[in-house]
Amino acid sequence: MTRCLVIVDVQNDFCPGGALAVEHGDEVAAAITSLLARGDVTYDHVVATQDFHIDPGSHFSREPDYVDSWPPHCRAGSYGALLHDALSTKRIEAVFRKGQYAAAYSGFEGSTSTVTAEGEEDAVGLADWLRDKGVDDVHVVGLATDHCVRATAADSAAAGFPTTVLLDLTAGIAPATVEAALEQLRAGGVRLVGEPLLPG
């Protein structure tokens, strides 16, 4: 079995003090770092996803509804778009950026650029990257449980990867939307382990 840990959107703007902060986001960052440092947990591959907005259209709004539109966040090149300092990046092999010009919640909507032997940039999507590495077991962690973690895990399962969400290493925005997300993931065949951190 070849296992990959997918770390979803553990970025400054999604942690306390950020433009669209998730309560406990910094704790999730530190807990993921602790997981990767443990000797009894083995991941063959580790990747991360990153909101990276350039001009995402109606995804940004001055009067957001917090469903389809949001305050500006994770602008490309900004401090808010960077991965949080408490998250160790030593083992991260690739970062899949998403949402440059439209809303994107799932890491499977993102891509990473690599330079080919001919010197050209080649954008690689997450599903193709995982298949190229022979991954047959995906674990998902990160922010937020009820949005980008949900979307990434759902797309992982839909793409044919056996998928587990380690809920103790996620944080959600609201109990109602977290529960709806978990129901969707269960229905989609995603394995859920632990309990997500919730506000309050």
Side-chain angles (χ1 to χ4, degrees):
M1 182 175 291
T2 302
R3 180 174 296 161
C4 182
L5 182 69
V6 178
I7 303 168
V8 176
D9 294 6
V10 181
Q11 297 167 257
N12 290 321
D13 267 350
F14 295 137
C15 291
L20 199 55
V22 180
E23 191 172 332
H24 307 296
D26 50 350
E27 297 171 44
V28 167
I32 294 169
T33 294
S34 295
L35 171 73
L36 292 173
R38 285 169 50 184
D40 61 330
V41 177
T42 302
Y43 286 101
D44 301 286
H45 301 285
V46 179
V47 301
T49 72
Q50 186 181 26
D51 246 16
F52 205 73
H53 298 306
I54 297 171
D55 182 9
S58 61
H59 184 59
F60 283 178
S61 174
R62 293 180 180 177
E63 298 180 357
D65 61 16
Y66 295 92
V67 176
D68 297 310
S69 61
W70 306 86
H73 59 276
C74 297
R75 291 185 182 275
S78 71
Y79 173 78
L82 296 176
L83 297 176
H84 193 273
D85 286 344
L87 176 67
S88 173
T89 59
K90 292 178 182 177
R91 295 212 35 213
I92 295 175
E93 298 172 55
V95 177
F96 296 84
R97 291 176 168 174
K98 57 188 175 65
Q100 284 92 332
Y101 296 100
Y105 296 91
S106 169
F108 285 81
E109 298 176 81
S111 64
T112 185
S113 293
T114 57
V115 179
T116 67
E118 292 76 26
E120 299 174 352
E121 284 198 358
D122 184 27
V124 179
L126 179 52
D128 287 341
W129 193 95
L130 294 171
R131 292 188 183 105
D132 183 64
K133 302 296 184 182
V135 171
D136 52 13
D137 188 27
V138 171
H139 285 189
V140 180
V141 298
L143 305 171
T145 318
D146 32 356
H147 293 282
C148 295
V149 168
R150 172 198 55 77
T152 300
D155 280 358
S156 177
F161 299 102
T163 303
T164 301
V165 178
L166 305 179
L167 293 171
D168 293 344
L169 302 179
T170 73
I173 294 173
T177 51
V178 167
E179 186 52 43
L182 300 187
E183 286 299 321
Q184 178 187 343
L185 292 174
R186 290 187 191 101
V190 174
R191 181 172 172 249
L192 303 176
V193 177
E195 296 291 336
L197 295 172
L198 294 171

